[in-house]
Amino acid sequence: MGTFYFFLFQAHSGWRWIALLLLVITTVKVAIGLVAGQKWTSLDQKLVTFTNIAVSIQVLLGIFLYVLLLTQGGGITGRSVGSITTAHMIPALLAIGAIGFASARSKKASTDRQKFMMATIGMVIAVLMVVGALMSVGGIFVMATAG
Ligand code: HEM
């Protein structure tokens, strides 16, 4: 396990807080919008877009890390490549799909209610998938140290 792996690992591990914060804020905001029958504003659209970007960066860092794990072996959490692939990578990729759904469908929908509905469905699935991905590496608050 090299210094670069360690650096990427820390970036991937730390970035989760930004991704999680945006996921929670956006999900709560669009769910309230749906329940309260609010008007869809540019803030709602921006929150969905920023969450999409934040989780995409998380996944991109994860993919780099994964390629290094495959080619160099090692790893910090002690998890096998098989468990990272099935229990960590797959739910994370499904989360990206769900956020893509939230983003595209909320843009396309014609009424505010439908926009909030699509955004809420996508974001709730994304949150569940990200929590699932985190459970597979030790939980939401895990912070492994090297060595
Ligand atoms: C929303 C998506 C994701 C989140 C929130 C996330 C979060 C995390 C966290 C918190 C850790 C452990 C950090 C620690 O113990 O301090 C981790 C490790 C890791 N993740 Fe992710 N991850 C995501 C997506 C991905 C994806 C898509 C891949 C691969 C394609 C990936 C590959 C890895 C790898 C290889 C490790 C390190 C395993 C090791 O060195 O033992 N992650 N991830």
Side-chain angles (χ1 to χ4, degrees):
M1 200 265 300
T3 315
F4 187 58
Y5 189 91
F6 185 67
F7 172 77
L8 265 183
F9 180 88
Q10 292 299 340
H12 180 74
S13 179
W15 188 260
R16 118 189 69 160
W17 301 116
I18 292 166
L20 278 174
L21 192 69
L22 276 164
L23 272 166
V24 170
I25 291 173
T26 305
T27 307
V28 170
K29 173 82 175 73
V30 294
I32 289 174
L34 177 66
V35 175
Q38 291 172 349
K39 219 174 121 49
W40 179 267
T41 66
S42 66
L43 175 64
D44 298 295
Q45 198 62 65
K46 275 183 197 142
L47 281 173
V48 173
T49 303
F50 290 151
T51 307
N52 200 355
I53 294 169
V55 180
S56 298
I57 290 172
Q58 179 81 47
V59 165
L60 213 61
L61 289 168
I63 291 170
F64 284 135
L65 206 53
Y66 184 70
V67 170
L68 290 181
L69 187 67
L70 287 180
T71 52
Q72 300 181 356
I76 292 173
T77 65
R79 259 94 189 165
S80 67
V81 171
S83 116
I84 291 285
T85 309
T86 52
H88 189 68
M89 184 181 81
I90 290 177
L93 295 178
L94 290 174
I96 282 290
I99 298 173
F101 173 93
S103 173
R105 290 303 193 95
S106 63
K107 274 187 200 129
K108 256 195 215 157
S110 47
T111 66
D112 287 347
R113 191 184 146 71
Q114 279 172 355
K115 285 177 186 289
F116 279 121
M117 175 79 83
M118 295 304 160
T120 304
I121 292 171
M123 294 307 299
V124 167
I125 295 173
V127 168
L128 293 175
M129 291 299 133
V130 169
V131 169
L134 282 165
M135 288 308 166
S136 70
V137 285
I140 297 174
F141 302 103
V142 68
M143 274 192 250
T145 47

